[in-house]
Amino acid sequence: QAQDEEVVGRIYEAALYVKNAIYGRRMVFFAPLYVSNVCANNCLYCGFRKDNKGLVRRVLNLDEIRREVEILLSEGHKRVLLVAGEHPTLSGIDYIEKAVAVVYNTKVGVASIRRVNVNCAPLSVDDFKRLKACAIGTYQCFQETYDLETYRLMHPSGPKADYLWRLHAPSRAMQAGIDDVGIGALFGLTDFKFEVMAVLMHAQYLDATYGVGPHTISVPRLEPALNAPAANDPPHAVTDDDMRRIVSCFRLAIPYTGIILSTRERAEFRNELISLGVSQISAGSRTSPGGYYDAKAHKPETEQFSIGDDRSLSEV
């Protein structure tokens, strides 16, 4: 709640101190690997929403996934975040298992992906056990908004409309033996201060209940997306100053947790947020299935959201 410029400045200084004390100058890099954009949900902020008739739908086959991974390896990536649209049959646990195996088994010379994190639909405990058996790194599931009224408004139909099923996905993952989970809110849907407190309470709950808090917290901000009304006109737009406050407060409140920043943000602002607590960033990202192979023929009609930092991994 602080408004005094001197106090806010000290908050930023403290956040950098804590980050340097824990992480030093180490940064973790990764690339999102979108394997499908077919989705059964109708989230008003997402380009993948079911009612978006302008989106070109695609589910990568195993050879196409291998091709994407080969490109990422050639660029120097060692970690990927596998992302799939929420569809019960086309991108369910059977498909995710095969996709993760292909990523791990793909090699370019001696180079291979060391860690596959997964962002997919919430699963049952039994299916989370199958996911754990794939030797994944982090299971990532964002509540998007913790405000129930806003949640219902933004998720009018599809499996994701069930607030509690999504809220307890990290708990079910923990129960299945995945003690490495990532949480977060999509800033811009409602009051960012409420969302920050809710994420912190979720982290506190996981720590108290399962003995370990979230491995990562992500801080995405709404960016324009094809035929996604809430993304193109955010209900509660978040300013750069708001983002500085969000990152620094997370770093101070949960010092052990990795803070992830995507390429939604522009390059110079990403550089600045690193000094306020961000410890993991994506680089050279594409947000559509097959996006790395298709990079020369950019296809916005297949993307989940627009990108603000298009630098390569080596440039970042």
Side-chain angles (χ1 to χ4, degrees):
Q1 297 288 352
Q3 297 297 326
D4 184 279
E5 287 187 12
E6 182 181 352
V7 175
V8 173
R10 291 182 64 188
I11 291 171
Y12 295 164
E13 291 173 5
L16 178 59
Y17 172 84
V18 169
K19 186 201 168 186
N20 287 340
I22 293 176
Y23 293 93
R25 295 177 60 82
R26 176 177 181 266
M27 287 296 299
V28 173
F29 292 94
F30 71 95
L33 175 60
Y34 281 74
V35 294
S36 78
N37 61 5
V38 175
C39 195
N41 298 311
N42 206 17
C43 312
L44 301 186
Y45 49 79
C46 183
F48 290 178
R49 59 193 295 255
K50 183 178 66 174
D51 283 358
N52 182 4
K53 304 305 181 185
L55 186 76
V56 178
R57 304 288 175 175
R58 189 172 179 187
V59 178
L60 299 187
N61 62 39
L62 299 184
D63 285 337
E64 289 172 326
I65 294 173
R66 185 176 295 107
R67 186 175 66 185
E68 292 286 279
V69 176
E70 288 172 348
I71 293 171
L72 292 173
L73 286 170
S74 68
E75 292 175 352
H77 281 287
K78 299 296 182 185
R79 297 167 181 247
V80 300
L81 171 64
L82 190 144
V83 185
E86 185 168 340
H87 194 282
T89 56
L90 296 177
S91 54
I93 185 62
D94 293 343
Y95 176 74
I96 298 295
E97 284 176 327
K98 295 172 185 175
V100 172
V102 167
V103 175
Y104 275 133
N105 291 330
T106 300
K107 289 182 171 53
V108 172
V110 296
S112 61
I113 297 296
R114 297 173 185 165
R115 182 183 179 98
V116 180
N117 302 327
V118 174
N119 183 323
C120 68
L123 303 171
S124 66
V125 172
D126 286 343
D127 283 349
F128 271 127
K129 289 179 180 178
R130 292 173 62 180
L131 190 62
K132 177 178 171 57
C134 296
I136 68 162
T138 304
Y139 170 69
Q140 199 181 73
C141 183
F142 305 149
Q143 189 64 17
E144 316 294 13
T145 176
Y146 285 82
D147 180 72
L148 182 57
E149 184 178 340
T150 304
Y151 190 94
R152 287 171 172 163
L153 179 66
M154 292 294 158
H155 305 95
S157 64
K160 198 169 175 177
D162 189 334
Y163 177 95
L164 290 177
W165 178 252
R166 190 166 191 86
L167 182 66
H168 290 298
S171 294
R172 293 194 301 278
M174 294 274 198
Q175 293 162 19
I178 301 174
D179 60 356
D180 195 320
V181 300
I183 62 175
L186 177 56
F187 292 103
L189 296 178
T190 193
D191 178 8
F192 79 89
K193 293 181 181 179
F194 173 86
E195 300 288 26
V196 168
M197 294 304 296
V199 170
L200 293 178
M201 291 188 73
H202 196 175
Q204 189 178 52
Y205 169 81
L206 292 172
D207 192 25
T209 307
Y210 302 102
V212 58
H215 184 84
T216 59
I217 291 175
S218 296
V219 290
R221 175 165 53 166
L222 276 175
E223 291 295 335
L226 181 68
N227 296 330
N232 298 320
D233 185 17
H236 293 263
V238 173
T239 67
D240 286 357
D241 278 342
D242 295 338
M243 285 294 289
R244 295 182 185 100
R245 184 171 302 228
I246 289 166
V247 170
S248 59
C249 285
F250 277 142
R251 176 49 64 223
L252 290 173
I254 318 184
Y256 62 80
T257 295
I259 298 178
I260 297 176
L261 186 66
S262 77
T263 51
R264 292 170 180 257
E265 303 294 341
R266 62 192 187 281
E268 61 274 16
F269 192 51
R270 292 221 302 166
N271 295 344
E272 183 181 343
L273 291 179
I274 287 170
S275 72
L276 294 177
V278 167
S279 56
Q280 299 191 23
I281 56 174
S282 52
S285 302
R286 296 290 180 269
T287 65
S288 57
Y292 296 103
Y293 185 81
D294 296 336
K296 292 181 180 178
H298 186 52
K299 298 180 178 180
E301 69 276 10
T302 64
E303 291 181 336
Q304 186 181 31
F305 56 85
S306 58
I307 287 174
D309 182 357
D310 59 2
R311 292 175 296 173
S312 68
L313 172 62
S314 59
E315 287 172 324
V316 175

